[in-house]
Amino acid sequence: MEFHSCDFPGVRIIDLPHHTDTRGEFVKLYHDELYQSSGIHISFVEDFYSRSTKGVLRGMHFQYAPYAHWKLVTCVEGSVLDIGFDMRTNSPTFGRWFEHQLSSTTPQAILLPPGFAHGFLTTSDSSTVFYKCSTVQCPQAEAGIMWNSFGFQWPISNPTLSNRDSSLPPWKTLARDPRLADFRA
């Protein structure tokens, strides 16, 4: 595993070890000892995966404290445009976003700290995205921002959204929420 830092404090892009032979491919997503030795001390307590078709946009989601979580995201089938938006008010990258293409053909994962809204757009015919979280899903703490309200120019103007995602508040409204101060860079 190779852990790469980026301009956003706490975010890591991780090249995943994989082996290919006549049977197919084997990929290692997580190995606690390797994460620990790289200075990443996180306990994951819940896993999810989603399946989506081309043009589906899931996001931009997060959870408020005390259920805010680290999230480890990878695409195990197809490809997605993965987006993280920094909402940590004390971060040098507050209010900025990053994008990264995740694909099953290039085994990588993204590690996002608490305080990031996260979402992705399926860019292949279908995708399966797997993620690990450091806290359990808590409906009372779940929140999000409108997908097209924070400055990122998505490569689609009319994505397929859930009812929930299509009714999320815009960033301009949420940016004044005092609970954002609970997120630390």
Side-chain angles (χ1 to χ4, degrees), residues 72-87:
L72 181 65
V73 183
T74 191
C75 183
V76 297
E77 183 254 328
S79 61
V80 299
L81 178 60
D82 197 87
I83 306 297
F85 179 69
D86 193 350
M87 300 182 310

Side-chain angles (χ1 to χ4, degrees), residues 142-165:
E142 289 179 350
I145 60 174
M146 180 59 69
W147 67 281
N148 60 355
S149 70
F150 59 95
F152 179 70
Q153 298 300 308
W154 294 89
I156 189 170
S157 58
N158 191 25
T160 302
L161 300 167
S162 70
N163 289 337
R164 174 184 171 233
D165 289 354

Side-chain angles (χ1 to χ4, degrees), residues 82-123:
D82 197 87
I83 306 297
F85 179 69
D86 193 350
M87 300 182 310
R88 302 169 299 174
T89 57
N90 71 333
S91 172
T93 55
F94 172 73
R96 289 180 40 205
W97 51 266
F98 74 88
E99 64 181 292
H100 191 79
Q101 189 77 31
L102 288 174
S103 170
S104 58
T105 60
T106 307
Q108 289 185 316
I110 298 175
L111 180 66
L112 295 166
F116 272 80
H118 173 256
F120 62 87
L121 172 70
T122 297
T123 56

Side-chain angles (χ1 to χ4, degrees), residues 62-65 85-91 94 114-117 143 145 171 173-185:
F62 66 95
Q63 289 194 155
Y64 284 110
F85 179 69
D86 193 350
M87 300 182 310
R88 302 169 299 174
T89 57
N90 71 333
S91 172
F94 172 73
F116 272 80
I145 60 174
W171 168 242
T173 300
L174 192 68
R176 296 185 296 266
D177 190 323
R179 295 175 289 179
L180 295 181
D182 293 337
F183 299 134
R184 297 282 170 228

Side-chain angles (χ1 to χ4, degrees), residues 129-141:
V129 174
F130 177 82
Y131 38 104
K132 301 176 82 56
C133 296
S134 64
T135 63
V136 296
Q137 181 182 16
C138 177
Q140 297 81 7

